[in-house]
Amino acid sequence: MGRRPEVFVRPVGMEEGRRLQRISRTAKDPVRLRRAIVVMMSAQGQSVPDITSLMQVSADYVRDVIHAFNERGFDALDPKWSGGRPRTISSRVREHICLIARTSPADWGLAGLSSWSLAKLAEHLVKQQVVPTLSRETLRRILREGKVTWKTTTTWKSSNDPDFIAKMHRILALYDTPPADGRMVCVDEFGPLNLMPRKGKAWGPVRSPRRLRATYNRYNGVMHMLAALDLTTGKIYYHIRKRKRWREFLGLLKALRARWPGEKLYVVLDNFSPHKHPNVRAWAAAHDIELVFLPTYGSWLNWIESEFAALRYFALNGTDHRSHTEQNAAIAAYVRRRNARAEPKARFAPDSPIREWTEYPTAV
C-alpha cells in the first residue's frame, strides 16, 4: 500500500498568524482552542502524524480541520453544535412562560402565594395548559434563556418635594461644574455606631464559615459619625460624637471653615432638622457657607452616601468590636488608608436616567 499524501494548511499570512496565536492564548472554548492549535502547527510545517502525536487526536480529525480551514477560513474554528432531538416547546410558548413567571400568583387568583417557586410555576403552567408537561430543570433553562432571574424586592421612596427637579439640577450643576469661587463639600451623618457583631463576607475554607457571636448586649450606648467629603481632593473628614444635635453639626461646620479659610464653602446636605436650625443657618451665612439642601427623600443625590457604603463594607462588616474605642480606631484606620489614595471627585452618575428627567417620576 502506497504512502498517503501529506496534508497541510494553505499559506497563512502574517495577520492571520497573529490571529491564530491570539486565539491559542485567549480562547476559552476547548474545541476552538484545539482547532486553532492544529491549524497553527500545520502552518508551521508540522505533518499530520506529528500533530496527531502531540495533540493526541486522530489523523482524520487533523485532516478534517485542515480541509475545513482551507475552505472556510477562521469560521471553521468555531464549533457548530448540532444533533439531539428538536425542541418540543416553541419559542412563542417560551416567551409566554417567561411572561407568566414575571407575574404574581395573586394575579391568577392563587391565594396564599406571593411568589413562584419552580415547582409551583411548572404546576401552574401545566394546569393552564400552556404546556402538557414541564420539569423544573427545563423551566429553569427556559427562564435563564429568557433572561428572567430570581431577584430581591427593593423599595423606592418617592419624593413629595414640589421643587425636586430644580433642586436636583442645582446639585448636579455643582457636581458637574464646581464653582470657581469656592469648594464643594458633601456632609451627612453615619450611624448609629452600635457595638454588635456585624455580618460580612471574607475568603475562607470551603464549608468552614467564620463565626460571630449571636447574642450580645449593648451596654455602652451608640456613637454617631458626622462626616464631610471634599470633592476637590476626594478626602473624607469626620467627627465621632455621642449625639448628633445641631451643636455637633455646627462643630463640624466650624472645623471645615477653619480647614479652608478664605474659600466659600458649598455644603450639600439633607433636610435633617439639626441642619436647618436657626443658629446653624445664621452662623453659616455669617461665615460664607452656603447650605445646599437636597430634595426631600433625595439622599441618594448626596455623593457621600456611596462613601458610607464602602466604609460599612470594608471597615465594619464582619467585625465584632467590644468597645467604641476599638471600633473608632478601625474607622480611623480605614479613613486614613482611603484618604492616602483619594482622588478628586468628578462625573457623578454620567449615564443615569436622572440626567434626562424633566419631571419627577412619582409613579414607580
Side-chain angles (χ1 to χ4, degrees), residues 114-347:
S114 61
S115 61
W116 298 109
S117 66
L118 289 177
K120 290 181 173 58
L121 179 57
E123 179 184 352
H124 175 73
L125 293 171
V126 173
K127 186 176 180 180
Q128 293 294 319
Q129 298 182 354
V130 177
V131 288
T133 182
L134 186 64
S135 67
R136 285 181 293 180
E137 177 61 19
T138 301
L139 177 58
R140 183 192 66 79
R141 293 181 179 179
I142 291 175
L143 296 179
R144 183 175 180 179
E145 292 174 2
K147 297 183 179 180
V148 178
T149 59
W150 185 256
K151 295 182 177 297
T152 301
T153 301
T154 59
T155 59
W156 173 263
K157 185 86 170 181
S158 297
S159 177
N160 55 6
D161 194 328
D163 300 322
F164 178 91
I165 293 296
K167 292 180 179 179
M168 181 190 72
H169 284 305
R170 159 73 168 158
I171 293 172
L172 292 179
L174 289 172
Y175 286 164
D176 295 340
T177 309
D181 63 338
R183 181 180 295 261
M184 281 289 299
V185 182
C186 297
V187 172
D188 200 4
E189 289 80 15
F190 177 74
L193 297 172
N194 297 287
L195 295 178
M196 56 183 290
R198 303 173 184 271
K199 293 182 179 180
K201 296 182 179 180
W203 299 106
V206 176
R207 296 191 181 92
S208 297
R210 183 183 177 191
R211 300 291 183 180
L212 297 175
R213 56 179 176 149
T215 57
Y216 58 93
N217 296 305
R218 286 181 280 188
Y219 293 134
N220 297 319
V222 300
M223 303 288 284
H224 301 275
M225 179 179 178
L226 294 83
L229 172 65
D230 173 27
L231 301 188
T232 303
T233 62
K235 294 184 177 181
I236 291 178
Y237 306 96
Y238 72 97
H239 291 167
I240 293 182
R241 300 288 186 264
K242 291 184 178 180
R243 302 181 69 176
K244 53 178 183 178
R245 303 167 298 179
W246 69 268
R247 295 177 179 85
E248 287 76 21
F249 175 66
L250 183 57
L252 177 65
L253 289 184
K254 291 180 178 179
L256 297 177
R257 178 72 287 168
R259 180 175 292 276
W260 299 296
E263 292 186 67
K264 182 175 181 179
L265 298 184
Y266 295 83
V267 179
V268 175
L269 67 173
D270 60 25
N271 296 276
F272 186 38
S273 59
H275 299 167
K276 295 187 173 183
H277 194 277
N279 293 351
V280 172
R281 287 177 178 264
W283 188 91
H287 292 81
D288 203 17
I289 297 179
E290 180 179 343
L291 302 179
V292 184
F293 290 100
L294 295 163
T296 306
Y297 305 137
S299 293
W300 46 271
L301 280 168
N302 196 339
W303 209 328
I304 199 172
E305 292 288 349
S306 60
E307 300 296 336
F308 285 161
L311 169 62
R312 182 180 295 106
Y313 183 87
F314 290 110
L316 296 179
N317 286 357
T319 64
D320 186 8
H321 299 298
R322 303 306 176 97
S323 69
H324 283 293
T325 301
E326 180 185 348
Q327 182 166 262
N328 295 348
I331 294 174
Y334 168 79
V335 173
R336 284 195 301 270
R337 177 182 175 85
R338 183 208 166 279
N339 284 351
R341 298 164 170 79
E343 296 180 355
K345 292 290 185 179
R347 294 175 56 81

Side-chain angles (χ1 to χ4, degrees), residues 5-77:
E6 298 292 351
V7 178
F8 291 95
V9 76
R10 61 171 174 77
V12 175
M14 185 176 297
E15 185 60 33
E16 290 180 320
R18 292 197 190 99
R19 185 176 176 185
L20 286 170
Q21 286 184 335
R22 186 166 58 250
I23 294 173
S24 66
R25 289 195 304 265
T26 62
K28 296 182 178 179
D29 190 305
V31 177
R32 179 178 174 85
L33 174 61
R34 186 167 58 246
R35 292 179 181 180
I37 294 175
V38 168
V39 172
M40 190 163 57
M41 292 177 67
S42 179
Q44 293 171 350
Q46 305 247 15
S47 64
V48 172
D50 293 337
I51 298 174
T52 58
S53 176
L54 292 173
M55 297 292 296
Q56 295 297 307
V57 293
S58 67
D60 289 338
Y61 174 84
V62 175
R63 294 189 184 94
D64 289 342
V65 171
I66 292 174
H67 287 311
F69 184 84
N70 290 339
E71 294 174 2
R72 305 200 307 272
F74 282 90
D75 290 340
L77 303 183

Side-chain angles (χ1 to χ4, degrees), residues 80-139:
K80 300 297 188 294
W81 303 113
S82 61
R85 64 181 182 180
R87 287 184 171 184
T88 58
I89 302 177
S90 65
S91 300
R92 183 176 180 181
V93 174
R94 288 169 181 264
E95 293 178 2
H96 188 47
I97 290 174
C98 293
L99 178 62
I100 294 177
R102 293 195 295 267
T103 63
S104 170
D107 298 334
W108 300 87
L110 300 177
L113 294 179
S114 61
S115 61
W116 298 109
S117 66
L118 289 177
K120 290 181 173 58
L121 179 57
E123 179 184 352
H124 175 73
L125 293 171
V126 173
K127 186 176 180 180
Q128 293 294 319
Q129 298 182 354
V130 177
V131 288
T133 182
L134 186 64
S135 67
R136 285 181 293 180
E137 177 61 19
T138 301
L139 177 58

